[in-house]
Structures are given as C-alpha cells and as structure tokens.
Amino acid sequence: MRQVWLISGPPGCGKTSWILDRLKKHNSSCGFLRLSGFSENSLEQANSNEIDYVFLKDQIPQLIDLSKSSDQLCTDQDGLLLFIELPQFYLPKESGLAGIDRRVINQLENLKLIPDKYLHFGRDNELPIVDTLNFEKIESLSINLNETVWDPPSLNTFWFELVNGAYGDVYRAKALMNIIDGRFMLFNWIVSRNGSQFLQLNNFAPPKGRPQRISQLIIQGRNLDFVSIKSTVNLCLVNDAVLQFHQASLGNQQLAAT
C-alpha cells in the first residue's frame, strides 16, 4: 500500500535534503509535491516549488511529480512512497497529524493526498534540528531565469557578494543555474552553515542555443536590495552574441578532439 508523509519546517532547515536521503533508500515507486505554504505577518514565503522538484528529479529519475499526477496515484500501489514538503515558520499547535494546518488539509483533500505521517523540523526527534532557525522577519525574492545562461566568473563574484551581505542580510539562497558550457548547477546557502553547496546536476544540455529547462534564483532575508540584486543578475547573464561565440568555440574544440 502507499504511504503519504508530510514534512514541514522553516526555510533552510533541511527538508529537501532529508527527503532525498529517504527517497534514495526507497526501492519502489515514489512521488514528491512541494506546497507553497503561507506567509505569516512579517514572514514571507518563497516561491521555490520548481527548484526542489527539479533537483530531486535529477537525483531520483523515477520520481513522480504529484502536482501533475493523475488519479492513478490515488489507488493503493505496493510500496508507493509520497512526500509532501511544506515550508512553515511556526511550530504546529498540536503533535502528530492533529497539528496539520487546516488550510493544508483542504489542499491535500483536493489532491486526494491525505498524510499517514506528519513530521515538523524542530518538533519531532526523527528530524535533525541543527539548521532549524526561528525568524522574526523575512523577505523573499524569486527571479525566473529560464533560458538564461551565466558567465561563470561573474556568477562566482555575485554569489560571494550575495551571501556576504552586499545586498542585505541574506538568510537563505538557492538557485538552479545554466552555465555557458552546458552544465546545470545547484547553488545552495543557509546562514547557519559554513560555506555554500555547489552541485553539478546530471541534466547536461549540449551547448547549442539557450537551454530549455527550469532555472530560478530564490533569496530570503532582511533589508534586501531588490533593485541591485536584479540589476547585478542581469549583468552576469550572457547575451546572444556572446553565447553563440562561446558555443561555436566549444563545438570546434569537440570536433578537433574527435
């Protein structure tokens, strides 16, 4: 029979990483859904639904996208494990399934995904607490980067400046980036950790034209300089002429090597 687990917690606590670890240990069908969560007073949620799924799908190719699933998933399939990720700033008022926000229950009922188990970072001992932070105020910025390609040196400079306070107090930053040579990179940073995570994903796009895959930058923090961030990002992206020049050069190198 299938199992449906709801995993919630504040930004950067490790929800997606914990889910990935469990999925890697699962030997049968699996699915994933990230809910948007709810902003609370001065705490603004980030629109990062696509980043988490794309990353998990890259690592677990057989992963089912529950946001686009059919009614077939609502049947009891042997060994089917479904994870629902929920960003949530506050501790649940009650333990176990009784602590699920009623608004979330309504969403899940519409999707026919009623949890069998509910765990929240900072409450349940099954989950780590090292990166579980309490936020009093948080702003969020989401930048759609589809079909964009980054200049690597400019990207490295921008990311260093970003996480070191050049554009405000950044608590959380993550992104999927297209690199000029066809690589697809995950950038990940949380204020409670030492250093950033840079991971080259398996989804390589041959350097020919602009890549057709999800790319996005998510930033959460306080006193963020939205205008400067967007302006700097635009300066780091290569235009058509530069992209064509580099891709032609890469193509010539590949021909010479054959």
Side-chain angles (χ1 to χ4, degrees):
M1 60 182 296
R2 76 174 190 178
Q3 298 181 64
V4 181
W5 288 33
L6 175 63
I7 309 298
S8 67
C13 65
K15 298 183 293 297
T16 306
S17 297
W18 188 88
I19 289 173
L20 175 60
D21 182 64
R22 294 305 180 275
L23 290 174
K24 286 182 174 179
K25 297 175 182 177
H26 188 65
N27 296 319
S28 188
S29 300
C30 52
F32 175 79
L33 171 68
R34 185 186 189 278
L35 300 177
S36 298
F38 304 96
S39 296
E40 307 282 353
N41 298 322
S42 59
L43 300 171
E44 184 179 358
Q45 292 287 2
N47 178 23
S48 60
N49 295 17
E50 293 179 313
I51 289 182
D52 293 335
Y53 174 74
V54 170
F55 166 62
L56 290 174
K57 180 72 172 179
D58 183 87
Q59 303 297 298
I60 311 288
Q62 71 273 22
L63 186 67
I64 301 167
D65 183 358
L66 298 181
S67 69
K68 301 176 182 178
S69 65
S70 66
D71 288 341
Q72 182 180 3
L73 282 178
C74 298
T75 62
D76 288 337
Q77 299 181 31
D78 289 339
L80 179 61
L81 178 60
L82 308 180
F83 276 109
I84 302 165
E85 180 180 317
L86 173 68
Q88 181 169 303
F89 293 106
Y90 298 126
L91 283 172
K93 295 180 180 179
E94 299 182 62
S95 60
L97 295 175
I100 301 177
D101 190 314
R102 186 66 231 180
R103 296 170 294 180
V104 175
I105 290 290
N106 292 337
Q107 290 180 314
L108 297 179
E109 286 178 344
N110 291 333
L111 294 169
K112 299 180 181 179
L113 293 171
I114 303 303
D116 304 298
K117 191 167 186 175
Y118 174 37
L119 298 175
H120 181 85
F121 278 78
R123 180 193 70 178
D124 295 292
N125 293 331
E126 296 176 59
L127 303 173
I129 62 172
V130 63
D131 292 320
T132 304
L133 304 178
N134 294 319
F135 300 98
E136 296 180 357
K137 179 180 179 181
I138 192 166
E139 304 161 356
S140 296
L141 174 63
S142 174
I143 302 177
N144 182 356
L145 297 168
N146 292 350
E147 298 189 19
T148 64
V149 177
W150 290 76
D151 168 61
S154 298
L155 169 57
N156 291 337
T157 299
F158 165 71
W159 191 263
F160 176 83
E161 293 176 345
L162 177 69
V163 302
N164 283 282
Y167 307 101
D169 300 323
V170 177
Y171 300 150
R172 179 81 170 102
K174 60 180 176 178
L176 293 174
M177 313 282 207
N178 293 310
I179 307 301
I180 204 166
D181 60 4
R183 286 177 294 159
F184 196 33
M185 301 291 298
L186 173 73
F187 280 45
N188 190 24
W189 186 83
I190 179 70
V191 68
S192 59
R193 299 183 186 179
N194 294 321
S196 296
Q197 174 193 22
F198 306 108
L199 177 65
Q200 180 177 334
L201 302 185
N202 299 313
N203 187 340
F204 180 85
K208 185 177 181 180
R210 293 196 171 275
Q212 303 298 309
R213 56 192 177 193
I214 297 297
S215 181
Q216 190 178 32
L217 169 64
I218 300 295
I219 303 168
Q220 293 177 281
R222 290 201 310 175
N223 303 316
L224 298 178
D225 188 343
F226 291 75
V227 174
S228 293
I229 292 172
K230 293 178 181 179
S231 175
T232 305
V233 167
N234 287 333
L235 292 174
C236 296
L237 304 176
V238 299
N239 59 35
D240 288 340
V242 172
L243 181 62
Q244 290 171 9
F245 173 81
H246 280 278
Q247 290 182 344
S249 177
L250 289 169
N252 292 334
Q253 292 175 17
Q254 292 173 355
L255 288 174
T258 58

